């Protein structure tokens, strides 16, 4: 099982919508997919129409009580399962801090279910914290959404500096998110950032109103807008990611 | 997904549909469709606990079940034949190593109608589905009895909803069966989803007469030849020819080791005929090996050398097509058909008044132990005479001895205890691998230079191709030399007191002591 963390230090950059749509695209491409919603806001859980509840609390699970498998729920996509978020995740750092090897904790929780899935997406809360470090310890790749703004390059540099020299650090795969192709500044910044970061994935996700409709529809965009530009973009992004994971 | 099937009838399924509606399920429309189970000839996916299905209920879609509760789905535009035809990504990553060079074949194809009844929670989230299967029959089989069934698609994390579906189904008196609707149809039609087993080992009682035991062993090998013949002629995948040739070689080897059991005329005639089978199928197999192994052969070479070698690969591919046409002619010839017909007839009933060998009535346990002991002694005796100065031919002869011993252990293995037999075969295999590497690399180097010469003669390859062939042939030479150097160590590791003790213990199991 490959572990992909959708991660950004910044919030509001389209991280969760990407995680949900990429997971869906992965599931219809033949992958058995697990999404672990680690964000106490539980947005991914909401989009999949699953109750944001884990018996005993996810935080307690991370702290060492119980096993992951019994909390996994099937979604309406036949190959896509979800470990829902709940509000106890706001104490995740505290719980991790109380474990013996906090940086390996998420990886060791995922290990028993690894044979049953091809890819796990971890939808992470925005920050650099102990929880983020545990995510880095579990992930093969960090998918980092980047809105083309002047400060985006700095955020990527912060992340790269943080991971620099760490043993078994995940591959950082940035991609442009919420892109408005009509804006000259977006176009220019994308060119500059691509030159500075050759690892940028080729596909960009546009800023599109159809993505906002995920809220009322409570579903990935491909299910209610299969012909939308954003749907094609998420499909393209998943193809880029899959090519890196299964060359 | 957990699927539980309940055999039913058209009337009961209609009753179930109404009961599900009353229980709050939404029953969707009936839709016709066809489902095809794909697997290799030898059932590799089934053996791995997987089921690959091509479904065209809506749009053509591959569905892979097994290996966890999540089921893989992917839409396809064409039926995949080999692992490389599967869409790139995790599904191919899972299946391609299992399939290796084998082709996917339809092992079960059914048609029927289905409707899906779903139960959702207040958020509109589906919690369970019941799939109703109406009039499912084997495709293209007129008069086949239709199967009516319902399956519960239990979704992970929603056990209460699944239990509710079970209660509804039980309330109208339907009984659960093991497996899903495809298992039901396969069982009704007598289709074995496990696929072909090419095992040369048949159950043998140590005290049964040797002649009868040899007949059963050889009949099993004859069946392997016949079962792999159509796939070989149609060139479905290279394993058909490989399996056929292995069965032929085993047959010939068992005949060689049946001197005191089988009638001399029978041994002589069929050894010659199986020798002919081997000769007419050899060229195509040699070329198959080139095509299969080519990516590994050229991997260490630079990209320019690989491009320069392309005319050689094209030449091999052309020769392979011609070789397959020749072997198809041979396997469709009167000689082949007559040989197999008379061979099967003799294996079944023998010939009146024939003079059998003096050990024909001896217990097979003792005969097998004797033959294996002799084969081991012969191999060790030859191996001990091999020095660094010995010609390559000495190692080739030793390889033949080792194969003969291996075939005896496998074909007469029915009288040996399975676990120590497997352990001993592993011990022997380590030596065989070295001898195989030594001979194969020598043969490949010689063949490559032959291909190069043929291309040169016809003027169909540039100079850089001939240079590249030289580079590749040199690599084979280096590998051969390495195998030659390794031989003494491998043989020394085999020729030990421990091996002797291991074999003695194994053979005692054949003698019942």
């Amino acid at each position: 099982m490959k572990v992909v963390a959708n991660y950004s230090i910044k919030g509001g950059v389209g991280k969760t919508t990407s995680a949900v749509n990429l997971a869906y695209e992965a599931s219809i491409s033949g992958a058995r997919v697990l999404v672990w919603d680690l964000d106490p806001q539980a947005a991914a859980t909401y989009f999949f129409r699953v109750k944001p509840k884990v018996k005993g609390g996810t935080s307690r699970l991370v702290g060492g009580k119980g096993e992951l498998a019994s909390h996994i729920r099937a979604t309406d996509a036949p190959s896509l399962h979800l470990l829902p978020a709940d509000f106890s995740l706001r104490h995740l750092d505290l719980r991790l801090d109380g474990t013996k090897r906090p940086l390996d904790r998420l990886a060791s929780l995922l290990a028993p279910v690894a044979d049953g899935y091809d890819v796990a997406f971890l939808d992470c809360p925005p920050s650099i914290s102990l929880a983020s470090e545990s995510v880095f310890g579990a992930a093969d790749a960090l998918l980092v959404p980047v809105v083309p703004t002047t400060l985006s390059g700095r955020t990527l540099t912060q992340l790269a500096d943080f991971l620099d020299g760490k043993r078994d650090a995940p591959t950082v795969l940035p991609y442009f998110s919420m892109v408005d192709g009509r804006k000259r500044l977006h176009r220019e910044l994308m060119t500059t950032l691509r030159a500075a970061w050759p690892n940028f994935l080729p596909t960009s996700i546009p800023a599109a109103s159809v993505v906002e409709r995920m809220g009322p529809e409570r579903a990935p965009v491909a299910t209610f807008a299969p012909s939308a530009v954003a749907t094609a973009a998420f499909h393209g992004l998943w193809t880029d990611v899959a090519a890196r994971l299964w060359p | 997904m957990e699927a539980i099937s309940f055999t039913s009838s058209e009337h009961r399924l209609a009753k179930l549909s109404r009961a599900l509606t009353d229980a709050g399920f939404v029953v969707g429309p009936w839709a016709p469709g066809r489902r095809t189970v794909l697997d290799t000839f030898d059932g590799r996916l089934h053996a791995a606990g997987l089921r690959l299905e091509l479904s065209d209920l809506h749009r053509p879609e591959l569905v892979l079940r097994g290996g966890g509760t999540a089921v893989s789905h992917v839409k396809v535009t064409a039926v995949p034949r080999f692992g490389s035809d599967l869409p790139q990504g995790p599904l191919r990553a899972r299946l391609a190593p299992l399939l290796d060079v084998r082709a996917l074949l339809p092992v079960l194809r059914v048609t029927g109608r289905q409707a899906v009844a779903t139960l959702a929670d207040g958020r509109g989230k589906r919690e369970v589905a019941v799939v109703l299967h109406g009039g499912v029959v084997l495709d293209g089989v007129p008069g086949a009895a239709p199967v009516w069934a319902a399956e519960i698609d239990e979704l992970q994390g929603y056990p209460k909803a699944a239990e509710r579906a079970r209660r509804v189904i039980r309330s109208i008196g339907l009984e659960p069966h093991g497996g899903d609707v495809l298992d039901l149809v396969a069982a009704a039609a007598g289709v074995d989803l496990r696929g072909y087993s090419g095992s040369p080992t048949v159950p043998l009682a140590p005290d049964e007469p040797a002649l009868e035991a040899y007949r059963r062993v050889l009949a099993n090998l004859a069946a392997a030849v016949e079962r792999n013949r159509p796939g070989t002629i149609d060139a479905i995948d290279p394993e058909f020819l490989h399996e056929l040739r292995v069965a032929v070689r085993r047959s010939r080897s068992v005949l060689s080791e049946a001197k005191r059991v089988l009638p001399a005329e029978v041994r002589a005639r069929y050894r010659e005929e199986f020798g002919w089978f081997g000769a007419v199928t050899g060229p195509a197999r040699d070329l198959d090996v080139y095509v299969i192994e080519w990516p590994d052969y050229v991997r260490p070479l630079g990209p320019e050398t690989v491009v320069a070698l392309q005319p050689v690969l094209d030449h091999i591919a052309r020769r392979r097509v011609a070789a397959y046409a020749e072997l198809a002619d041979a396997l469709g010839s009167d000689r082949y058909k007559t040989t197999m017909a008379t061979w099967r007839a003799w294996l079944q009933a023998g010939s009146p008044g024939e003079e059998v060998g003096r050990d024909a009535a001896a217990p097979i346990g003792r005969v097998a132990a004797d033959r294996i002991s002799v084969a081991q002694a012969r191999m060790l005796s030859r191996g001990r005479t091999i020095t660094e100065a010995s010609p390559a031919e000495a190692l080739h002869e030793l390889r033949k001895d080792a194969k003969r011993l291996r075939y005896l252990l496998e074909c007469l293995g029915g009288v040996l205890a399975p676990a120590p037999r497997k352990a001993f075969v592993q011990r022997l295999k380590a030596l065989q691998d070295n001898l195989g590497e030594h001979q194969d690399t020598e043969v490949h180097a010689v063949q490559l230079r032959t291909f190069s010469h043929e291309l040169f003669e016809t003027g169909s390859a540039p100079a850089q191709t001939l240079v590249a062939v030289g580079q590749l042939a040199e690599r084979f030479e280096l590998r051969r030399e390495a195998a030659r150097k390794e031989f003494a160590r491998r043989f020394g590791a085999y020729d030990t007191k421990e091996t002797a003790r291991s074999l003695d213990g194994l053979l005692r199991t054949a003698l019942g002591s």
Side-chain angles (χ1 to χ4, degrees), chain B residues 66-285:
Chain B
T69 54
V71 179
S72 296
H73 292 252
V74 62
K75 290 185 173 51
V76 288
T77 50
V79 182
R81 188 167 175 214
F82 293 103
S84 56
D85 299 332
L86 292 163
Q88 190 172 9
L91 188 74
R92 190 200 288 186
R94 280 176 79 196
L95 293 184
L98 281 174
L99 301 177
D100 195 19
V101 298
R102 292 239 75 155
L104 285 166
L105 302 171
V107 296
L108 182 76
R109 185 175 283 149
V110 303
T111 52
R113 295 181 305 131
Q114 78 170 42
V116 182
T118 54
L119 183 70
D121 65 7
R123 299 171 185 79
K125 161 82 182 71
R126 197 173 68 227
E127 292 193 328
V128 68
V130 177
V131 186
L132 309 175
H133 295 281
V136 183
V137 291
L138 265 188
D139 197 16
V141 181
V147 170
W148 300 81
E151 288 173 354
I152 297 177
D153 183 0
E154 180 171 348
L155 301 181
Q156 176 152 356
Y158 298 93
K160 287 180 185 168
E163 189 47 43
R164 191 165 159 186
R166 279 189 200 98
R167 278 201 302 272
V168 176
I169 291 171
R170 287 196 189 108
S171 72
I172 63 162
L174 294 179
E175 290 301 320
H177 281 250
D180 63 9
V181 69
L182 293 172
D183 291 315
L184 285 174
V185 178
V191 176
D192 187 350
L193 295 172
R194 288 176 301 178
Y196 159 83
S197 163
S199 171
T201 310
V202 295
L204 298 171
D207 56 353
E208 73 178 287
L211 180 59
E212 296 311 310
Y214 266 81
R215 274 199 173 125
R216 286 201 289 121
V217 167
L218 289 163
N220 179 51
L221 295 171
V225 172
E226 290 285 69
R227 287 202 63 186
N228 282 287
R229 177 173 164 260
T232 301
I233 291 173
D234 294 340
I236 289 173
D237 68 43
E239 279 299 286
F240 284 97
L241 173 58
H242 177 57
E243 289 279 328
L244 183 145
R245 281 178 53 76
V246 169
V248 164
R249 282 203 304 269
R250 282 172 174 153
S251 301
R252 202 155 178 255
S253 194
V254 170
L255 283 168
S256 299
E257 297 296 332
K259 195 174 176 181
R260 293 177 188 169
V261 179
L262 267 58
E265 305 75 42
V266 170
R267 282 182 64 243
R269 176 179 172 190
Y270 291 103
R271 278 186 68 201
E272 186 183 336
E273 290 306 295
F274 284 121
W276 174 73
F277 286 6
V280 295
T281 54
R285 176 60 191 168

Side-chain angles (χ1 to χ4, degrees), chain B residues 409-474:
Chain B
L409 289 163
E410 290 171 343
C411 297
L412 301 181
V415 294
L416 303 168
R421 180 170 69 97
K422 194 175 170 189
F424 189 82
V425 166
Q426 284 304 315
R427 189 182 286 266
L428 175 60
K429 189 173 173 297
L431 176 62
Q432 283 189 290
D433 288 345
N434 171 259
L435 294 167
E437 170 79 356
H438 178 262
Q439 185 165 7
D440 292 346
T441 47
E442 181 177 302
V443 169
H444 285 343
V446 171
Q447 273 187 334
L448 260 182
R449 294 205 160 97
T450 306
F451 295 149
S452 171
H453 183 70
E454 287 167 358
L455 287 168
F456 178 75
E457 289 286 301
T458 56
S460 52
Q464 51 268 49
T465 298
L466 306 181
V467 173
V469 167
Q471 283 183 38
L472 187 53
E474 195 180 323

Side-chain angles (χ1 to χ4, degrees), chain A residues 27-33 48-52 69 72-76 78-79 81 115-118 218 238 246-247, chain B residues 1 64 66-75 87-91 93-94 121 123-127 155-158:
Chain A
S27 79
I28 61 172
S29 77
R32 298 165 300 160
V33 181
F48 286 120
R49 301 178 188 229
V50 174
K51 200 172 176 181
I72 292 173
R73 302 277 179 271
T75 71
D76 283 348
S79 322
H81 290 178
D115 285 345
Y117 298 96
D118 300 303
R218 297 189 71 170
W238 166 244
W246 294 277
Chain B
M1 182 184 84
L64 180 66
T69 54
V71 179
S72 296
H73 292 252
V74 62
K75 290 185 173 51
Q88 190 172 9
L91 188 74
R94 280 176 79 196
D121 65 7
R123 299 171 185 79
K125 161 82 182 71
R126 197 173 68 227
E127 292 193 328
L155 301 181
Q156 176 152 356
Y158 298 93

